Amino acid sequence: MQDDAAQNQTLLGADELVLNMGPQHPSTHGVLRVKLKLDGERVRGTECVIGYLHRGVEKIAENRSYQQFAPYVDRMDYVAAVSNGLGYCEAVEKLLNVEAPPRAKVIRTIMTELQRIASHLIWLGTHALDIGALTPLFYCLREREEILKIFEKYCGARLTTHAFRIGGLQYEAYDSFEKDVERFCKDFERRIQEYVDLLTGNSIWIGRTRNVGVLSAEECIALGASGPVLRASGVKWDLRKAQPYAAYDQYKFEIPVGTNGDTYDRYMVRMEEMRQSRLICLQAIENIPAGPIMGKVGKVLKPPAGEIYHSIEAPKGILGYYIVSDGTTQPYRVRIRPPSFINLQALDKMARGHLVADVVAIIGTLDIVLGEVDR
Amino acid sequence: MLDKVIFFFFAGVAILSAGLMVTRRNAIHSAVFLITTLLATAGIFLQLRAEFIFIAQIILYVGGIMVLFVFVIMLVRLDVALHQIQFSRQKWVALLVTLALALEVGVMLWSSRKVPGQGFLLPNAVPAGKLPPNTEALAGRLFDAYLLPFEIASVLLLVAMVGAVVMAKKRT
Amino acid sequence: MSPTLQAVLAFVQTWWVELVSGVVIVAVVPLVAGYIVLMERKLMADMQARLGPMRVGPHGLLQPIADAVKLLIKEDIIPDNADKVVFWIAPVVSMTAALTSMGAIAFGPAFQVARDINVGLLFVIGVSSLGIFGIVLGGWASNSHYSIMGALRSTAQLVSYETAAGLALVSGLLLAGTLKIRAIVDAQQHFGVWFVFLAPVAFFIYVVASIAETNRAPFDLPEAESELVAGYMTEYSGFRWALYFLGEYANMIVVGAVATTLFLGGWLRPFPNVRWMNWLDALPALFTAAVGAYCVYRAGKQPVRVQTWFMWGVALACFVVALILAVPLLVAPLKFLVPGLHGAFWFLLKISAYIYLFMWLRFTLPRYRFDQLMHLGWYILIPLAIVNVLAVGVAMILEMEYGWNRWLAMLLTTVITLATALFLLRLNDKRAAAASSAAPPPEEPSTEDSYAG
């Protein structure tokens, strides 16, 4: 934090107040600790202290075989475990130079989009709760429950699913999979209107989010922010369109973008993304190709020596896996580019000059998950 | 009898907490004792059947001014204030003034004793039912006999308010 | 017999009704507050597609008692660097202020403690405003940043909104022409209309300001959970915390009672002077009987026998209350009991409706930010309240001096006030737009003082 003298001057020459927000705080979404430098209630600087949830995920990867490591990535962004798994599996597939069969790809797409909706629902609920609206959280959890039920029926787990395998899928879609997804999607259109009724036009909500935590497109790019945070600033960059993976090139969908790059725009972008994900799911279940679900992958994975980087559009932004193989059964090095960690860098830029209450809104709008920030 | 008990109770509380208010080193404690003093004074007003003044005292002094006092004190760094000398060094002047004041009060009490029909310290209270409604009486006075001073006072307060706003705005 | 004893006896003889009601208030209000909490949780659960407390007693009916026991036996933690004495007394101040102010409230024509206090309404709002000291001192004594920020917010908020609330009350008091609680209700009977219909803007301002005064959402910034953890209560635990909580809910009852008394016709039933509406007198008894009947209906559907019995018990209680409410209506010699009993029923019903409104808003709206709260208070509510006082005064003069129709005068002035409100809102929007378009660059310290005022 570089502060010049003028910036250190507070109103009335009072002392700066250093407020420790977290790691035990209702709205730091886990164990984030933010040191706030305050003048009254105005924020003059922030400093994030992270690492309270560090588990050394990347180091663990070096001592596990490729398949053994797959469940670990679910524990990074634990509200979007399926997306993490997709990224990892596709990265290793790329390294092995195999491809998942079409049926597996489509089911992966459906699952990932459902996960995107679930992740955004958690974001919406907690974000609204941070801003003081109690009720949306419970509505969001009600819908998320339906998604989790689908996950549970599919692979037996709800949160850390380990749904995909390297090379395809282990489980065939269960009998009423399409029907369940369709029912959820049909229902969800009506549900999303409930959130819109509660929040979108509410003048308090607008007052709390408009012009709060503004990030311009240049700033976003300079900070490396991605996902809805980037798109809300008007940059139309979505890896699902830009570098299609899984089965995304088969479906029609829009990439919502914002204009102001403020909290309200990020809210609108994520709301629209949920609608688009719903449309993708509806398109995908129309026509799930028949065929095998597992590609030609051996029991013991021994990728050729080399390195690979593969990234996907996770709910929170670009999730990248950089894997170096030395030709053995265990990766030589795995580096993960977590979207939350990089988006969190924008906090200081966004929060300066705002009030404490806005910091809470900004942490909420960045949609961070500490499991992913700390890994 | 009851009146006397109530009076002495409130008077005792008022004097005791006034003394504590002056002697406390901690500014918040002083403020708390000042609140107690003001409340006890309000109690005496009530005992005198002056309900309106009683409630005005509570709303204005306790509920208004003291809240702002405490508000300001909270913003002050108390650890600094604790080490500062809080008593004025003009002890002898203070003593003289206090003595003069005590003498005055004493003379007044002494002379009031001689007024016929009045008890020492405490005039015989008129039964509450026989008093005119307090609020109306006060309003009648203010808007009738003392209209001009009342208006002047309001204008003064308005001026003070505008002045405060101007001063606050100037800084920005 | 010693003279002291005689004096005490005489005192008790004259004041026994007041003493008993005082004891009843102190004993009953905490219980009622507990059940308001339960009601709030149940309503919130209902609106959020959940069930709420279901475990303790049928449908969680004994939850408040369990909560109270839990809070009583909980460890009482005092932070190391806290100012112990102030930390001790702060919650007590909060609670005492709320309970004392209830003394002057008339819960129906027959239930009032300080019955002929001359400044009734002023007493209620004045004493209940002392509760702020509990908040401020508690926040300061905790020696925690969150607490003191909560306390600061609270002070600024209460001082601001009390002004608006006071001015709104003045509008109503102009109509009533008195401060005595009983006389205010009598005036509404005399006018034949609740004052809410004569001064709707004043009522609206009072509703908003009273929500802010009781620190309820969307103005619950002093204890905004997501920002300040629990504001001034952060360091409190156990029964001290419960005292704060009770004080807060008791305050809700107080503001509800003030609004009911001044604007909603106190203990008068709807259309108090309309003869052909007299059948409304039977409503209290019918209502409670209906609740009892519903309990009987539900009793058969309870999963556990204990719950069935409990429901039967509740039903029985309802029927007894219905009987108590009905008998004086039917039996001529007991007719004198009707106003007291039915008045209390209507009064409590109106307070409940008022509190329900509070809860409904809490579950629906997000929270204001502190500067927005201050702007709303100072730029909109207070000017509007001042205009409204003037407008009501003008309307009364038009009616009394120039013989205008009362409704016409009130309608005209209300329209004028509403136009002012629109004007103020647009002005505020413009100001907000100007402020946000010139949003302070982070390098330049903003000089706007969010505690100004």
Side-chain angles (χ1 to χ4, degrees):
Chain A
M1 242 181 284
Q2 322 94 348
D3 300 323
D4 51 35
Q7 204 181 327
N8 277 328
Q9 199 177 14
T10 58
L11 185 73
L12 301 176
D15 292 337
E16 260 171 6
L17 178 73
V18 176
L19 186 69
N20 232 327
M21 214 164 149
Q24 308 293 336
H25 187 280
S27 59
T28 52
H29 293 234
V31 284
L32 175 66
R33 176 172 163 216
V34 186
K35 284 197 214 158
L36 296 173
K37 242 171 33 157
L38 298 178
D39 169 21
E41 281 211 23
R42 205 159 282 279
V43 178
R44 316 203 40 83
T46 65
E47 191 184 335
C48 286
V49 182
I50 59 171
Y52 289 94
L53 207 57
H54 179 67
R55 291 150 299 178
V57 169
E58 291 173 5
K59 191 72 188 165
I60 290 172
E62 294 167 20
N63 300 305
R64 298 284 183 279
S65 71
Y66 287 92
Q67 294 104 321
Q68 279 176 334
F69 181 59
Y72 283 90
V73 296
D74 285 357
R75 271 92 182 153
M76 292 192 313
D77 182 357
Y78 41 75
V79 300
V82 173
S83 307
N84 295 349
L86 177 72
Y88 177 71
C89 290
E90 289 203 332
V92 179
E93 282 160 18
K94 225 170 168 181
L95 194 64
L96 288 166
N97 211 6
V98 296
E99 201 164 341
R103 181 174 172 82
K105 276 187 172 178
V106 171
I107 291 175
R108 278 176 174 186
T109 310
I110 296 171
M111 294 285 282
T112 316
E113 286 310 303
L114 286 176
Q115 182 73 80
R116 186 185 310 278
I117 294 176
S119 169
H120 280 1
L121 283 172
I122 285 281
W123 157 80
L124 178 63
T126 50
H127 186 41
L129 188 69
D130 287 346
I131 294 184
L134 302 172
T135 306
L137 175 67
F138 292 95
Y139 289 180
C140 290
L141 289 178
R142 178 186 63 194
E143 269 72 83
R144 179 171 173 265
E145 185 63 26
E146 296 306 311
I147 296 176
L148 294 190
K149 272 182 191 156
I150 294 175
F151 287 173
E152 189 177 6
K153 275 187 182 170
Y154 174 72
C155 63
R158 289 157 54 89
L159 194 69
T160 45
T161 45
H162 191 206
F164 310 141
R165 297 293 181 274
I166 295 161
L169 304 169
Q170 181 173 7
Y171 310 111
E172 185 58 80
Y174 61 92
D175 286 344
S176 59
F177 180 70
E178 290 101 321
K179 211 181 282 170
D180 279 358
V181 174
E182 189 179 4
R183 203 181 52 220
F184 168 76
C185 290
K186 291 267 153 66
D187 201 38
F188 189 58
E189 190 178 20
R190 190 163 55 83
R191 301 298 193 189
I192 209 163
Q193 190 56 38
E194 288 180 1
Y195 319 143
V196 170
D197 289 343
L198 273 169
L199 297 174
T200 304
N202 187 316
S203 71
I204 304 178
W205 178 260
I206 293 173
R208 282 300 302 275
T209 52
R210 267 270 152 82
N211 291 316
V212 169
V214 181
L215 271 186
S216 68
E218 294 78 39
E219 283 169 340
C220 276
I221 293 168
L223 286 163
S226 56
V229 178
L230 177 70
R231 288 192 285 274
S233 304
V235 183
K236 207 165 182 173
W237 179 255
D238 189 323
L239 287 184
R240 287 176 295 174
K241 285 268 189 201
Q243 305 167 5
Y245 54 94
Y248 283 108
D249 46 0
Q250 303 169 18
Y251 306 119
K252 280 202 204 85
F253 59 97
E254 298 291 317
I255 302 171
V257 287
T259 46
N260 298 329
D262 58 11
T263 304
Y264 189 73
D265 276 11
R266 284 184 281 272
Y267 161 76
M268 292 304 268
V269 164
R270 287 199 178 98
M271 292 295 269
E272 187 55 36
E273 272 184 17
M274 283 200 268
R275 294 196 191 94
Q276 296 297 333
S277 295
R278 173 184 162 270
L279 290 179
I280 295 175
C281 287
L282 280 176
Q283 289 173 48
I285 51 165
E286 288 276 295
N287 182 21
I288 301 180
I293 53 168
M294 198 65 185
K296 290 194 173 59
V297 185
K299 282 236 162 68
V300 177
L301 294 184
K302 252 187 177 176
E307 56 181 55
I308 198 83
Y309 177 73
H310 181 70
S311 55
I312 63 156
E313 188 71 30
K316 294 172 177 65
I318 294 172
L319 172 70
Y321 287 90
Y322 174 69
I323 305 175
V324 182
S325 162
D326 55 1
T328 61
T329 54
Q330 294 175 344
Y332 178 73
R333 171 80 170 99
V334 172
R335 159 75 191 157
I336 299 158
R337 180 210 190 274
S340 298
F341 176 66
I342 291 169
N343 288 352
L344 186 60
Q345 292 182 97
L347 178 67
D348 187 56
K349 185 129 216 135
M350 292 158 91
R352 280 204 191 187
H354 286 299
L355 300 174
V356 178
D358 293 328
V359 175
V360 171
I362 290 168
I363 294 176
T365 191
L366 284 174
D367 192 15
I368 50 163
V369 163
L370 265 295
E372 193 179 50
V373 173
D374 293 343
R375 279 159 290 145
Chain B
M1 174 66 198
L2 186 65
D3 270 332
K4 272 186 191 163
V5 172
I6 291 172
F7 173 79
F8 281 115
F9 173 73
F10 281 129
V13 170
I15 290 172
L16 190 73
S17 46
L20 286 168
M21 187 265 284
V22 180
T23 50
R24 289 301 91 186
R25 279 201 156 266
N26 189 322
I28 284 272
H29 291 178
S30 287
V32 170
F33 284 117
L34 183 53
I35 293 167
T36 329
T37 315
L38 290 170
L39 280 177
T41 324
I44 295 175
F45 282 135
L46 190 61
Q47 183 262 330
L48 293 170
R49 268 77 173 168
E51 292 113 340
F52 187 76
I53 302 180
F54 152 76
I55 201 65
Q57 166 104 356
I58 285 188
I59 290 181
L60 293 182
Y61 285 94
V62 186
I65 293 173
M66 283 315 295
V67 170
L68 293 179
F69 266 39
V70 175
F71 187 75
V72 171
I73 292 172
M74 279 204 302
L75 296 173
V76 174
R77 284 180 61 181
L78 284 178
D79 43 342
V80 177
L82 274 177
H83 298 296
Q84 283 169 345
I85 299 169
Q86 291 184 334
F87 292 98
S88 165
R89 265 157 287 182
Q90 298 150 329
K91 276 184 194 159
W92 296 111
V93 183
L95 193 66
L96 268 179
V97 172
T98 317
L99 278 179
L101 199 68
L103 202 70
E104 232 174 276
V105 173
V107 168
M108 196 189 76
L109 289 179
W110 178 253
S111 55
S112 75
R113 207 178 174 186
K114 291 174 187 161
V115 180
Q118 303 257 304
F120 181 61
L121 273 181
L122 203 61
N124 291 325
V126 187
K130 288 182 189 164
L131 280 170
N134 193 254
T135 322
E136 284 88 333
L138 200 74
R141 279 297 185 182
L142 277 181
F143 286 101
D144 188 14
Y146 299 103
L147 183 60
L148 187 66
F150 180 72
E151 291 295 330
I152 291 174
S154 356
V155 170
L156 272 178
L157 284 176
L158 188 67
V159 168
M161 211 160 84
V162 172
V165 172
V166 168
M167 280 163 75
K169 281 270 170 192
K170 203 185 259 172
R171 209 186 50 230
T172 70
Chain C
M1 219 191 272
S2 72
T4 323
L5 195 61
Q6 262 176 345
V8 169
L9 274 182
F11 176 79
V12 170
Q13 260 178 356
T14 7
W15 297 97
W16 68 271
V17 180
E18 284 77 2
L19 285 173
V20 169
S21 340
V23 170
V24 166
I25 282 185
V26 172
V28 168
V29 167
L31 193 70
V32 172
Y35 274 91
I36 293 178
V37 175
L38 178 68
M39 186 171 107
E40 175 161 22
R41 290 176 66 181
K42 278 294 193 186
L43 285 171
M44 174 148 62
D46 190 41
M47 290 186 195
Q48 295 175 342
R50 318 180 272 131
L51 285 174
M54 290 293 281
R55 296 283 164 172
V56 193
H59 291 264
L61 270 176
L62 298 176
Q63 184 73 38
I65 293 159
D67 281 345
V69 170
K70 179 203 73 174
L71 288 168
L72 263 173
I73 59 179
K74 221 174 159 182
E75 187 189 354
D76 179 32
I77 300 164
I78 298 179
D80 260 356
N81 287 326
D83 189 314
K84 298 220 166 39
V85 181
V86 180
F87 194 83
W88 281 346
I89 60 169
V92 181
V93 169
S94 213
M95 179 80 182
T96 313
L99 287 185
T100 312
S101 62
M102 261 181 212
I105 293 170
F107 292 90
F111 306 100
Q112 189 179 18
V113 181
R115 47 187 56 208
D116 50 3
I117 188 160
N118 206 345
V119 285
L121 206 69
L122 271 185
F123 180 86
V124 176
I125 59 172
V127 172
S128 70
S129 74
L130 294 184
I132 189 187
F133 282 113
I135 294 173
V136 174
L137 294 176
W140 175 82
S142 305
N143 196 23
S144 143
H145 283 161
Y146 288 115
S147 300
I148 203 152
M149 280 172 78
L152 286 174
R153 282 180 172 190
S154 190
T155 322
Q157 177 177 332
L158 258 83
V159 170
S160 311
Y161 278 79
E162 223 157 59
T163 323
L167 285 168
L169 288 180
V170 168
S171 305
L173 291 173
L174 276 180
L175 291 166
T178 175
L179 286 168
K180 283 187 188 170
I181 299 229
R182 193 176 303 255
I184 290 170
V185 179
D186 287 345
Q188 297 183 62
Q189 182 148 33
H190 173 70
F191 274 73
V193 57
W194 298 354
F195 286 159
V196 61
F197 298 112
L198 291 180
V201 182
F203 178 67
F204 174 75
I205 295 171
Y206 186 74
V207 170
V208 176
S210 62
I211 296 172
E213 267 187 74
T214 44
N215 293 336
R216 305 260 325 158
F219 304 106
D220 58 344
L221 290 107
E223 47 201 86
E225 180 171 327
S226 54
E227 298 153 28
L228 298 184
V229 189
Y232 58 90
M233 296 199 272
T234 307
E235 304 292 341
Y236 280 88
S237 62
F239 212 66
R240 266 173 238 297
W241 180 85
L243 284 181
Y244 268 132
F245 214 66
L246 289 180
E248 208 168 281
Y249 278 85
N251 250 333
M252 268 168 73
I253 302 177
V254 170
V255 293
V258 169
T260 305
T261 306
L262 191 54
F263 292 109
L264 299 178
W267 49 81
L268 304 175
R269 68 167 163 81
F271 307 102
N273 301 331
V274 185
R275 186 163 283 260
W276 62 269
M277 292 289 238
N278 272 353
W279 57 271
L280 281 171
D281 274 342
L283 214 58
L286 290 177
F287 179 77
T288 34
V291 173
Y294 181 70
C295 284
V296 171
Y297 167 70
R298 294 288 301 184
K301 302 192 167 189
Q302 295 302 316
V304 185
R305 186 173 293 169
V306 181
Q307 294 188 324
T308 312
W309 291 347
F310 191 89
M311 283 313 242
W312 275 107
V314 174
L316 198 67
C318 284
F319 287 137
V320 169
V321 172
L323 206 65
I324 293 173
L325 286 168
V327 162
L329 274 182
L330 304 174
V331 184
L334 291 173
K335 208 97 189 167
F336 70 97
L337 284 173
V338 170
L341 286 174
H342 287 206
F345 174 84
W346 287 113
F347 197 78
L348 294 179
L349 192 70
K350 286 170 188 174
I351 292 186
S352 313
Y354 197 77
I355 293 176
Y356 177 76
L357 177 74
F358 274 29
M359 293 177 177
W360 190 3
L361 289 175
R362 180 179 166 206
F363 311 143
T364 312
L365 296 177
R367 183 184 299 120
Y368 273 104
R369 201 170 57 204
F370 197 76
D371 54 333
Q372 293 165 346
L373 174 95
M374 281 294 154
H375 285 146
L376 181 70
W378 285 95
Y379 289 132
I380 295 180
L381 281 186
I382 292 180
L384 190 61
I386 293 175
V387 171
N388 190 49
V389 170
L390 281 175
V392 171
V394 168
M396 289 187 67
I397 288 180
L398 283 179
E399 188 203 335
M400 289 192 297
E401 306 280 320
Y402 298 94
W404 283 40
N405 180 297
R406 176 188 301 146
W407 287 99
L408 188 68
M410 289 297 170
L411 193 70
L412 185 73
T413 49
T414 303
V415 167
I416 291 172
T417 327
L418 286 178
T420 322
L422 279 180
F423 172 72
L424 286 169
L425 278 173
R426 291 201 48 184
L427 210 66
N428 194 47
D429 282 351
K430 264 189 203 157
R431 190 197 46 74
S436 61
S437 68
E443 280 77 28
E444 200 174 81
S446 165
T447 38
E448 191 180 355
D449 183 1
S450 32
Y451 291 118

